[in-house]
Amino acid sequence: MTRSRRSGVLGGRPAATTRGRLSSVAIDLFTANGFDETSVDDIAAAAGIARRTLFRYYPSKNSLPWGEFEEHLAELRNLLHSSPSEAPLGVSLRDALIAFNTVPASERDEHRRRMSLLLGVPALQAHSMIVYADWRAVIAEHCAERLGLDAASHIPQTIAWQALGTALAAYDQWLLDADADLTELLRVGGDILINGVSSLTA
């Protein structure tokens, strides 16, 4: 399964909407000029819209790199919901992470720029924590449903944090090496998520 114009760890959809296009314009400007150096007015001007119009689509500059986040969360839920019921929980999480973050070659450069911003710009980190919390909630809900537990309880929350760490670690490595295979990094990390640290020790 492939998708384009994705929003990073949380995946994405084609940027056919105004929200998607605005996010792409912002990423180009942030990459070329710097996040702090690029104003909302700069983005609005580059997109050919008024500042007020931009704020109808995004509440802040910090939210622009994430793109159509609510739609991405719905897609993640659908991926997890459609996973085979007979598949072990860890396998369903690993496979969903891989499918959700599969990037076609034509979109790889923009995806790398987006993720470089999201993981490398200090000013974005506070907003990212909010996004990650919502993302983890989707994972925790799936785990809770499979395990018959409350989504807010320790085990679903622990697995959700582990899944997030798996994705972020894969992206960290991918950004360090232009030739790295993101899918393979997610698969290896997902296998550790499934089997645990004990599988790596002698």
Side-chain angles (χ1 to χ4, degrees):
M1 180 182 298
T2 60
R3 299 172 183 81
S4 61
R5 301 289 185 186
R6 24 189 75 249
S7 68
V9 170
L10 308 179
R13 296 183 179 183
T17 66
T18 299
R19 279 176 56 80
R21 188 175 70 84
L22 284 174
S23 181
S24 294
V25 168
I27 287 169
D28 289 343
L29 290 175
F30 293 152
T31 301
N33 304 323
F35 180 82
D36 292 329
E37 292 75 17
T38 302
S39 69
V40 170
D41 289 331
D42 293 332
I43 298 166
I49 61 174
R51 174 189 176 96
R52 180 181 300 178
T53 302
L54 187 149
F55 282 122
R56 292 175 184 168
Y57 293 98
Y58 288 97
S60 67
K61 186 173 83 167
N62 287 7
S63 63
L64 275 156
W66 286 99
E68 298 165 292
F69 177 59
E70 292 182 2
E71 290 85 349
H72 306 329
L73 283 186
E75 186 178 0
L76 179 58
R77 286 192 181 93
N78 289 337
L79 276 171
L80 292 168
H81 183 71
S82 63
S83 61
S85 58
E86 66 273 14
L89 175 58
V91 171
S92 73
L93 292 172
R94 180 199 62 196
D95 291 351
L97 284 178
I98 291 173
F100 196 50
N101 290 283
T102 297
V103 182
S106 61
E107 302 294 339
R108 196 165 296 147
D109 287 344
E110 179 174 336
H111 188 48
R112 188 177 292 276
R113 292 196 302 272
R114 186 190 299 271
M115 290 308 302
S116 293
L117 291 166
L118 293 176
L119 297 182
V121 175
L124 288 171
Q125 298 313 301
H127 182 78
S128 294
M129 290 305 294
I130 298 172
V131 174
Y132 295 152
D134 291 341
W135 190 90
R136 292 196 322 271
V138 173
I139 301 295
E141 289 165 7
H142 175 72
C143 295
E145 182 178 353
R146 289 287 302 268
L147 299 172
L149 298 171
D150 189 309
S153 63
H154 183 228
I155 291 177
Q157 290 295 318
T158 298
I159 298 172
W161 275 103
Q162 290 175 333
L164 176 63
T166 297
L168 291 176
Y171 275 106
D172 278 342
Q173 294 298 310
W174 186 63
L175 292 174
L176 289 172
D177 182 358
D179 296 323
D181 186 335
L182 178 59
T183 297
E184 179 63 12
L185 290 168
L186 288 165
R187 186 195 65 76
V188 171
D191 287 344
I192 297 173
L193 177 64
I194 293 169
N195 299 312
V197 175
S198 61
S199 66
L200 303 176
T201 59

